[in-house]
Amino acid sequence: MNSDETPGLSGLNRDTFVSGWNRSVQRLESVVSTQEEAKRLAENGAPEGTAIIAEEQTGGRGRMGRKWHSPRGKGIWMSVVLRPNLPLSLTPQLTLLAGVAVCRAIREISGVQAGIKWPNDLLAGGRKICGILLESSLREGGLHYCIAGIGIAVNLTEDDYPDDLRGVGTSLLIEGGGIPVDRKQLTEAVLAELEFLYTLYIERGFKPVRELWESMSVTLGRQVYFNTPEGRSEGTAVGLDDGGGLLLRDTAGNITCILSGEIEMIQ
């Protein structure tokens, strides 16, 4: 599929895309968390597109405060400053946008056919290969900035995973048949895709991003469990709504929109 045939990108080509970010990339040996470093820079006025990349995180974290395994020299542990002029209610769309950007970059550079699990995970071979964490800061009642955290397991071996993550996590190296992936090349592709799709989103809205996300989803068409205030429910994932929520159809044909939280795909 060439760029003009890709859903959401009709008439656009990243190769001829003119960068609008004043991109600044800071590479660090070891940090507690790239999210915290990026927040510090954002609070001090860092421009949109500023990226913090670390060889190692000693206290990396994912959604809901979970620890993120970030061994030295094995992955891409990165956070990017965004300053969108958006209402807070639309920021979940940026999580989906980041997922699309990373998925496209992974497929391009490694050849691994990763897919996106709503809302923020990338899977390969049924196991997690990347997590995305979007955090927002408010000022005077409006959105001040967002930090997009991206963690990609690039060249981890099975032995690099602690016992509790074996069978759950995987890497591009493992899924690619033991062939190492150039982390610098993949990082550059992720940043290029992120800026390209973010600019497209600002110009055209969520629709192109939604089409791309749906084309790369491993969630749609699957039966999933989800939690509600009334308890655990089950439905079939059928699409995204205009805000980025996941549309689920129950056995009676009723459609429910899940705006946040986690789902469990039924095998």
Side-chain angles (χ1 to χ4, degrees):
M1 178 181 288
N2 63 43
S3 61
D4 289 339
E5 295 171 336
T6 304
L9 297 185
S10 177
L12 295 175
N13 188 329
R14 200 188 83 196
D15 293 338
T16 60
F17 172 66
V18 178
S19 173
W21 281 356
N22 181 18
R23 190 184 300 161
S24 170
V25 178
Q26 297 194 23
R27 292 177 172 84
L28 304 173
E29 283 298 312
S30 181
V31 296
V32 174
S33 164
T34 60
Q35 285 293 93
E36 297 309 316
E37 289 295 318
K39 286 180 184 178
R40 180 180 61 79
L41 292 177
E43 289 290 345
N44 289 324
E48 190 162 64
T50 298
I52 296 292
I53 303 170
E55 283 293 301
E56 171 191 51
Q57 292 184 114
T58 59
R61 56 188 172 81
R63 296 178 73 240
M64 302 182 180
R66 298 189 184 102
K67 184 177 180 179
W68 184 262
H69 185 55
S70 316
R72 176 180 291 274
K74 296 282 188 169
I76 294 173
W77 324 123
M78 173 169 63
S79 295
V80 182
V81 177
L82 303 175
R83 296 188 181 276
N85 182 19
L86 292 175
L88 183 64
S89 61
L90 293 184
T91 55
Q93 296 176 347
L94 297 177
T95 298
L96 304 178
L97 184 155
V100 171
V102 176
C103 193
R104 282 165 57 89
I106 283 174
R107 291 183 178 186
E108 174 190 344
I109 300 301
S110 73
V112 173
Q113 291 302 296
I116 309 172
K117 174 181 176 283
W118 187 90
N120 69 323
D121 291 340
L122 270 64
L123 307 183
R127 296 193 288 175
K128 187 169 179 176
I129 207 163
C130 171
I132 293 166
L133 175 65
L134 192 98
E135 297 182 298
S136 302
S137 174
L138 300 179
R139 176 173 290 180
E140 297 177 354
L143 186 62
H144 186 205
Y145 60 81
C146 296
I147 305 295
I150 298 168
I152 308 172
V154 182
N155 291 324
L156 282 77
T157 66
E158 294 283 3
D159 291 340
D160 288 318
Y161 284 99
D163 290 343
D164 61 329
L165 293 179
R166 290 181 186 174
V168 177
T170 187
S171 72
L172 297 178
L173 177 76
I174 294 168
E175 298 302 319
I179 300 173
V181 174
D182 186 319
R183 290 185 300 139
K184 181 176 184 293
Q185 188 180 21
L186 180 55
T187 299
E188 290 172 350
V190 168
L191 289 172
E193 284 287 351
L194 183 62
E195 181 182 359
F196 176 53
L197 293 174
Y198 179 81
T199 302
L200 175 71
Y201 169 74
I202 297 300
E203 292 178 352
R204 299 193 182 184
F206 184 57
K207 184 175 183 292
V209 173
R210 180 174 63 190
E211 291 176 356
L212 287 166
W213 188 95
E214 291 177 340
S215 74
M216 297 179 171
S217 170
V218 296
T219 303
L220 299 186
R222 296 281 298 274
Q223 291 287 113
V224 302
Y225 291 124
F226 61 100
N227 296 319
T228 70
E230 292 75 33
R232 188 175 172 90
S233 299
E234 181 180 332
T236 301
V238 296
L240 297 177
D241 80 340
D242 291 340
L246 183 65
L247 298 174
L248 300 174
R249 183 178 61 235
D250 64 20
T251 54
N254 300 312
I255 301 293
T256 301
C257 181
I258 307 299
L259 297 174
S260 62
E262 293 188 341
I263 61 168
E264 178 186 344
M265 295 193 294
I266 302 172
Q267 301 298 325

